[in-house]
Amino acid sequence: MKKLVVLTGAGMSAESGLSTFRDAGGLWEKYKIDDVATPNAWHRNPGLVLDFYNQRRKQLFAVEPNPGHYLLAELQNYFEVEIITQNVDNLHERAGSSYVLHLHGELMKVRSTGIGAEVYEVSTDKIEVNIGDNCPNGFQLRPHIVWFGEAVPEIEKAEHLTTRADILVIIGTSLQVYPAAGLIHNARPNTPIYLIDPHEIENLPYNVTVIKNGASEGLKELKDLLLKNQK
Ligand code: OAD
């Protein structure tokens, strides 16, 4: 089977009802990155940061995967699908995708602020994480999220996957945040690249086929195209 590597961003989950970051009305219009998504924000006001991610977690509980997530899971019948996502939600997994690499962390995990940085699943019975919720060694738990200014531990794995792609698909990302945005340049020169987004993305390499549509409709088009090319 051919290896289909998919890079997804917030637009992938938009049709499920989760806000993107940089569209009109997006999360970064309502919150300042410096208040909720940096190590400094955490040191200044950890309660505010925990609260921001508690809200994200509550929203995630209220939504479902959209047809686009399910179409990606269905493509596993025809391709070896590897998803690299910048999203911290678990909608790909809930739709049935079996390989999902989370570049920017996961909402349903927390980790110790102690030296071991042990990672724990958030209990579905108590999805809020508050000041005073500690790891077994007594250190405060923090969101398992890659904040601005922090290293992206999974980037090398993502680069490796992208380099080995037979087909690269990019869905719902403004490609403004590095190093994730640089992955498009790791594809081998003859690898077909498809990009699904309802808005124009600037500075794309010349060899990208753009499907200007939302994730669900765009993936329907892409599935037809890929299966036709398989024959
Ligand atoms: P952005 O908000 O920057 O971009 C979202 C993209 O989704 C835009 O290009 C939209 O045009 C597109 N979009 C909107 N609706 C869509 C739909 N129905 N179907 C498909 N695409 C749609 O989000 P990201 O690129 O994911 O990181 O942002 C990257 C990172 O910046 C995030 O992981 C997050 C953020 O700050 C952290 O918080 C660390």
Side-chain angles (χ1 to χ4, degrees), residues 42-161:
W42 175 252
H43 291 125
R44 259 196 325 265
N45 193 344
L48 184 72
V49 174
L50 287 172
D51 188 51
F52 175 73
Y53 289 100
N54 283 339
Q55 286 183 41
R56 306 277 75 73
R57 227 173 272 124
K58 273 187 213 157
Q59 277 182 3
L60 176 57
F61 255 64
V63 304
E64 298 290 337
N66 64 56
H69 291 108
Y70 287 109
L71 277 166
L72 276 181
E74 198 188 317
L75 284 176
Q76 293 173 135
N77 296 327
Y78 310 97
F79 299 95
E80 192 186 319
V81 179
E82 293 170 332
I83 297 177
I84 303 166
T85 187
Q86 297 166 84
N87 298 344
V88 295
D89 65 51
N90 55 8
L91 296 177
H92 285 304
E93 289 92 337
R94 279 161 59 187
S97 285
S98 47
Y99 188 98
V100 186
L101 181 69
H102 283 272
L103 268 189
H104 292 164
E106 292 176 69
L107 266 182
M108 291 310 294
K109 290 183 179 166
V110 285
R111 73 171 184 266
S112 170
T113 48
I115 192 85
E118 299 87 357
V119 176
Y120 303 90
E121 300 276 341
V122 175
S123 156
T124 48
D125 297 332
K126 182 187 169 295
I127 57 172
E128 277 196 14
V129 181
N130 296 309
I131 298 288
D133 289 340
N134 296 338
C135 75
N137 291 328
F139 291 95
Q140 172 69 44
L141 293 169
R142 60 160 273 181
H144 184 50
I145 301 286
V146 176
W147 287 323
F148 286 89
E150 291 188 315
V152 180
E154 300 289 15
I155 192 65
E156 270 187 32
K157 211 184 276 176
E159 285 169 350
H160 190 67
L161 292 181

Side-chain angles (χ1 to χ4, degrees), residues 9-11 15 21-22 28 86 104 146 148 172-174 197-199 215:
E15 289 159 25
F21 295 95
R22 295 174 184 79
W28 295 151
Q86 297 166 84
H104 292 164
V146 176
F148 286 89
T173 170
S174 60
D197 201 294
H199 302 120

Side-chain angles (χ1 to χ4, degrees), residues 11-12 14-15 20 23 170-173 195-201 210-216 218:
M12 183 74 224
E15 289 159 25
T20 63
D23 287 303
I170 298 174
I171 308 169
T173 170
L195 181 139
I196 300 174
D197 201 294
H199 302 120
E200 193 156 327
I201 305 296
V210 175
I211 299 177
K212 205 166 180 210
N213 216 331
S216 300

Side-chain angles (χ1 to χ4, degrees), residues 28-44:
W28 295 151
E29 261 182 19
K30 297 193 190 103
Y31 300 88
K32 279 203 225 145
I33 289 178
D34 288 342
D35 287 343
V36 295
T38 66
N40 274 344
W42 175 252
H43 291 125
R44 259 196 325 265

